[in-house]
Amino acid sequence: MGTLNEDYLLVAAIDFGTEYSGYAFSTRDDYSRDPLKVAANTWGAGNLMSLKTSTCVLFDKNKKFHSFGFEAEDYYSGYALDDEHHDYYFFRRFKMKLFDRMQLKRKFMLEDEMGKKMSAMDVFSACIKYLKDHLMKRCQRNLPNTIDSHIRWVLTVPAIWNDTSKQFMREAANKAGIIDEQLMIALEPEAASIYCQHLPMTRLGITGGGFVPFAPGSKYLVFDAGGGTVDITVHEIQSSGSLKELYKANGRNWGGTYIDIAFRNLLADIVGNDVMDDFQATQMMDYIDLFREFEVKKRNFKNDMTERINFKVPIALNDDFKQKRGKNIKDHIKTKPQYDQKVNWIGDKLRMESGVAKGLYEGACDSVARHLKSLFSEGQVKDVQTILMVGGFSESPILQDIIRKAMPDKNIIKPADPGLAVLTGAVIYGHNPSVIHAGRYTYGVKAKVYPEAKKIADYDKDVLCADIFDIFGHLML
């Protein structure tokens, strides 16, 4: 790994998310005047406008990159509508594969929506390259002389990933054209924490006097809830203002996609999983539109809502159901006691009682609440009084309410725009890497003799030797 470039003009951060991805940047001059002056791109898909785009990527039959984000969804949907999608490779929500695989191999394969396989490295690097190139084009509109060497790049990763997964992302970035001398890896909770330190108290939702969450010596738990994972770690502010990790990052796959999966499971429970599978495979445009509609609706779900929720459901789903079952969903749903008077299907509308809608959050939110209670019973975390909620899923009023009820004695801080905390913080970190206290180092000695029994061949058929490093201890520098 080379020395980080010091002769840069701007910092660009890429947040490669499970559900949504985006980028942000700022020049050196902007940072010196206002660290929070960060530019991001606005992406659109129908009624859905966002500072991030969908983490979906499309390749043609030759495995050549075609499109990314909302654009990839729309293209693939159109091809599916014309029954011309079979030779294309369409990937969505694949980032979690790096979390799921305990023994990650550089050459492992990803399965697309139709079960066809491509190299994971090719898929990840193509996505990073798209975001990199998109950002470069935007920068060059305002700063025509901008070239690659002028940029310091920051790529964010979940803190709960192991070192192998983080290294995989670094290599994917290298393949996308970002060399090590221009690349920094930022842990998502740390980036979010940096962002919040720069916000005025009012934008953190703090209006009373006396409580200063980021004073030197203060400790707080960072609750970073993204699309795929919930990252939880504990930070302490050093006298220099830098961050130090006090408690090793932990968490699970309890992010916002958990709610989407619960919604899909609800539909599958009504119409049958076979119908949902066929609907997804043959009516991809309608399937994507259905979940875009759900995304817009769920952002306004609250614990105190009482009105029924209306969802527009494509007619094609009822047509598919009728063809398989010989009746309409409207009539069929009346035969399922668990949905009696709670869920109605009228034409192209699904009407759902608020209790059913809120119930979609139970699995993820209850797991999070139990996990937090367990953490706060441990010695290293017991005296921590503040929870900092960041990440896109932290925008959910239902999640916020459940955490407040589960942790009534804690100070809950949520910035006004938690979904952008990681991106903005990553840009600030790129300008000032010293804001993160140096990491953990392991020290010991390695064996001079490599026993045959401990030699292994890795995925590239290189011969390695396991278990030859005797650990004396760890240093936090």
Side-chain angles (χ1 to χ4, degrees):
M1 196 180 304
T3 304
L4 195 65
N5 68 320
E6 294 296 336
D7 186 26
Y8 71 95
L9 297 182
L10 62 88
V11 168
I14 294 175
D15 183 6
F16 190 103
T18 301
E19 195 168 8
Y20 294 100
S21 296
Y23 62 73
F25 61 92
S26 72
T27 66
R28 240 174 166 164
D29 288 343
D30 285 340
Y31 172 77
S32 65
R33 287 192 292 267
D34 178 6
L36 293 173
K37 187 179 179 183
V38 172
N41 195 61
T42 300
W43 314 79
N47 294 327
L48 182 60
M49 298 299 292
S50 174
L51 291 171
K52 294 181 183 178
T53 188
S54 172
T55 306
C56 296
V57 60
L58 182 64
F59 298 85
D60 66 17
K61 64 181 180 181
N62 297 314
K63 300 183 179 180
K64 182 180 178 182
F65 175 81
H66 182 285
S67 50
F68 180 83
F70 294 138
E71 197 174 56
E73 288 181 340
D74 290 339
Y75 272 117
Y76 187 70
S77 297
Y79 294 141
L81 198 63
D82 296 330
D83 199 31
E84 296 175 353
H85 64 297
H86 301 286
D87 291 334
Y88 286 85
Y89 294 78
F90 180 63
F91 297 90
R92 61 197 291 268
R93 294 181 179 172
F94 50 90
K95 178 186 172 184
M96 284 299 292
K97 295 296 181 184
L98 294 191
F99 173 74
D100 295 337
R101 294 180 69 94
M102 298 302 291
Q103 297 290 331
L104 180 67
K105 296 184 177 182
R106 194 176 284 107
K107 293 181 180 178
F108 90 89
M109 307 294 281
L110 284 178
E111 286 192 3
D112 81 338
E113 290 293 290
M114 302 289 286
K116 300 190 298 297
K117 293 184 178 181
M118 265 187 68
S119 158
M121 181 63 73
D122 289 346
V123 174
F124 277 85
S125 63
C127 296
I128 295 172
K129 186 177 188 306
Y130 171 84
L131 291 167
K132 168 184 172 288
D133 292 347
H134 197 284
L135 185 148
M136 283 294 296
K137 288 176 185 175
R138 172 160 177 183
C139 288
Q140 287 168 348
R141 286 200 298 267
N142 299 326
L143 302 166
N145 296 322
T146 303
I147 57 175
D148 280 358
S149 60
H150 291 161
I151 301 180
R152 176 181 287 179
W153 296 90
V154 183
L155 182 63
T156 66
V157 298
I160 59 174
W161 277 9
N162 61 27
D163 290 340
T164 307
S165 296
K166 294 169 189 173
Q167 178 61 23
F168 179 94
M169 289 299 287
R170 177 177 283 277
E171 292 181 19
N174 293 160
K175 187 172 182 179
I178 304 174
I179 61 175
D180 274 332
E181 289 78 10
Q182 293 175 246
L183 178 62
M184 301 170 65
I185 301 293
L187 302 184
E188 290 167 3
E190 291 181 345
S193 190
I194 293 166
Y195 166 67
C196 293
Q197 284 187 69
H198 285 78
L199 287 177
M201 294 293 102
T202 52
R203 287 184 63 186
L204 286 169
I206 301 170
T207 54
F211 174 48
V212 182
F214 301 114
S218 61
K219 304 175 185 178
Y220 53 92
L221 182 144
V222 183
F223 179 87
D224 179 14
T229 59
V230 170
D231 266 6
I232 299 173
T233 189
V234 177
H235 289 161
E236 181 181 48
I237 304 294
Q238 303 297 286
S239 58
S240 63
S242 65
L243 292 177
K244 180 180 179 181
E245 183 185 275
L246 292 183
Y247 191 83
K248 184 175 174 60
N250 62 92
R252 297 282 178 81
N253 53 338
W254 299 319
T257 55
Y258 198 110
I259 315 306
D260 295 351
I261 293 170
F263 179 59
R264 190 193 190 282
N265 290 342
L266 171 72
L267 295 176
D269 192 43
I270 294 172
V271 303
N273 205 49
D274 61 327
V275 174
M276 283 302 297
D277 285 345
D278 285 351
F279 176 64
Q280 181 177 354
T282 62
Q283 308 291 338
M284 181 57 72
M285 178 174 284
D286 286 336
Y287 184 83
I288 288 172
D289 284 345
L290 171 61
F291 279 88
R292 282 181 180 172
E293 165 96 355
F294 179 68
E295 177 65 28
V296 173
K297 294 281 186 179
K298 80 176 183 182
R299 293 183 180 192
N300 297 313
F301 286 3
K302 297 179 181 178
N303 249 342
D304 60 356
M305 63 183 181
T306 57
E307 299 84 4
R308 283 178 173 261
I309 312 297
N310 296 325
F311 298 98
K312 185 177 180 181
V313 179
I315 292 291
L317 180 56
N318 186 63
D319 292 343
D320 288 354
F321 180 83
K322 190 173 182 179
Q323 186 177 2
K324 279 187 165 57
R325 305 287 193 264
K327 55 182 175 180
N328 291 316
I329 298 174
K330 176 183 176 181
D331 300 321
H332 171 71
I333 205 169
K334 294 175 182 176
T335 68
K336 302 181 83 65
Q338 67 270 40
Y339 300 118
D340 184 38
Q341 304 302 314
K342 295 179 180 178
V343 179
N344 301 106
W345 212 291
I346 305 170
D348 65 345
K349 297 290 191 300
L350 173 67
R351 284 177 56 78
M352 182 187 299
E353 269 194 358
S354 59
V356 176
K358 288 183 282 189
L360 300 173
Y361 286 72
E362 286 180 358
C365 293
D366 290 351
S367 295
V368 164
R370 285 195 301 271
H371 188 63
L372 283 174
K373 286 180 179 178
S374 173
L375 282 180
F376 278 109
S377 68
E378 298 189 19
Q380 291 172 286
V381 188
K382 257 182 182 176
D383 64 337
V384 175
Q385 296 300 313
T386 302
I387 298 174
L388 177 62
M389 291 186 67
V390 294
F393 189 31
S394 285
E395 295 181 11
S396 165
I398 292 180
L399 178 61
Q400 294 167 26
D401 191 52
I402 286 174
I403 290 182
R404 286 192 181 99
K405 288 178 179 176
M407 302 282 122
D409 59 331
K410 305 297 180 185
N411 298 310
I412 310 293
I413 299 176
K414 181 191 70 67
D417 44 5
L420 281 182
V422 169
L423 258 181
T424 308
V427 173
I428 296 171
Y429 171 57
H431 285 290
N432 183 18
S434 65
V435 75
I436 300 292
H437 199 263
R440 194 182 192 196
Y441 292 82
T442 303
Y443 61 97
V445 296
K446 71 175 181 178
K448 293 183 179 179
V449 179
Y450 304 139
E452 287 294 329
K454 294 186 177 183
K455 288 183 179 179
I456 57 173
D458 73 353
Y459 37 82
D460 291 329
K461 298 185 179 179
D462 294 324
V463 178
L464 307 175
C465 196
D467 193 26
I468 60 168
F469 188 66
D470 292 329
I471 298 173
F472 294 162
H474 303 284
L475 290 174
M476 187 73 77
L477 301 177

